[in-house]
Amino acid sequence: MMSNTNLSVTAEQNSIAQEILNAHNQYRAEVGVPPLTWSDTLANHAQEWADYLVSLGGTLQHSQNTGEGENLWMGASGYFSYTQMIESFGNEKQYFIGGTFPNVSSTGKWQDVGHYTQVVWRKTTEVGCAIASANGNDILVCRYNPPGNFLGQPAF
């Protein structure tokens, strides 16, 4: 069974968008970078990709060459709040070390902090996210503009 949620349409969806935005901006405030704003355009792009991932049976894979940053999350449908989904990105901050990308992780692998660094990337100004569900899992796709995680640049 497949369902999707376009987060740019209804009052309930506006509430979901605000929850996701607030969760992102909490992490940004912690490091002193300006808050993100919500983008319906990015949310629509995220919905297209989330729906595509569902069509693949729920496999997570990043899109290519969109010109947008992207974070992906998957978990049991209905079990996690939107805030908890974003917290999974933020929880990577425990491995974050100051420096220039990709030398930003205490583990030596930038992939261990890449979701977090995209959330707090100073030059990013907009986010839009969408959910799709299949096979008992929710897939969250968040898109960011401008994208982050550029080689040789600090996250913030």
Side-chain angles (χ1 to χ4, degrees), residues 52-113:
Y52 175 73
L53 293 176
V54 165
S55 77
L56 297 179
T59 302
L60 288 187
Q61 66 182 49
H62 284 286
S63 57
Q64 301 296 318
N65 303 316
T66 65
E68 300 167 349
E70 182 176 74
N71 279 345
L72 305 176
W73 177 94
M74 184 168 60
S77 291
Y79 186 78
F80 297 92
S81 71
Y82 297 102
T83 298
Q84 289 172 317
M85 294 173 191
I86 303 308
E87 285 173 349
S88 74
F89 304 151
N91 287 340
E92 294 177 358
K93 73 181 177 180
Q94 65 185 308
Y95 304 114
F96 177 78
I97 57 173
T100 57
F101 198 83
N103 301 314
V104 291
S105 176
S106 63
T107 68
K109 296 189 296 186
W110 71 265
Q111 295 89 339
D112 293 338
V113 298

Side-chain angles (χ1 to χ4, degrees), residues 90-152:
N91 287 340
E92 294 177 358
K93 73 181 177 180
Q94 65 185 308
Y95 304 114
F96 177 78
I97 57 173
T100 57
F101 198 83
N103 301 314
V104 291
S105 176
S106 63
T107 68
K109 296 189 296 186
W110 71 265
Q111 295 89 339
D112 293 338
V113 298
H115 299 100
Y116 172 70
T117 53
Q118 175 59 85
V119 168
V120 299
W121 199 263
R122 177 176 294 279
K123 294 180 180 178
T124 298
T125 59
E126 297 178 305
V127 63
C129 303
I131 302 276
S133 300
N135 303 323
N137 287 314
D138 287 336
I139 297 172
L140 174 74
V141 176
C142 289
R143 291 285 183 87
Y144 302 87
N145 183 50
N149 295 345
F150 281 98
L151 294 177

Side-chain angles (χ1 to χ4, degrees), residues 13-72:
Q13 291 159 344
N14 284 338
S15 173
I16 293 167
Q18 191 61 54
E19 180 180 347
I20 291 170
L21 192 59
N22 290 345
H24 276 83
N25 286 334
Q26 171 190 331
Y27 291 104
R28 294 177 68 83
E30 288 174 0
V31 298
V33 296
L36 298 174
T37 58
W38 186 262
S39 165
D40 286 341
T41 299
L42 291 173
N44 288 333
H45 294 171
Q47 189 67 65
E48 290 170 10
W49 191 250
D51 291 343
Y52 175 73
L53 293 176
V54 165
S55 77
L56 297 179
T59 302
L60 288 187
Q61 66 182 49
H62 284 286
S63 57
Q64 301 296 318
N65 303 316
T66 65
E68 300 167 349
E70 182 176 74
N71 279 345
L72 305 176

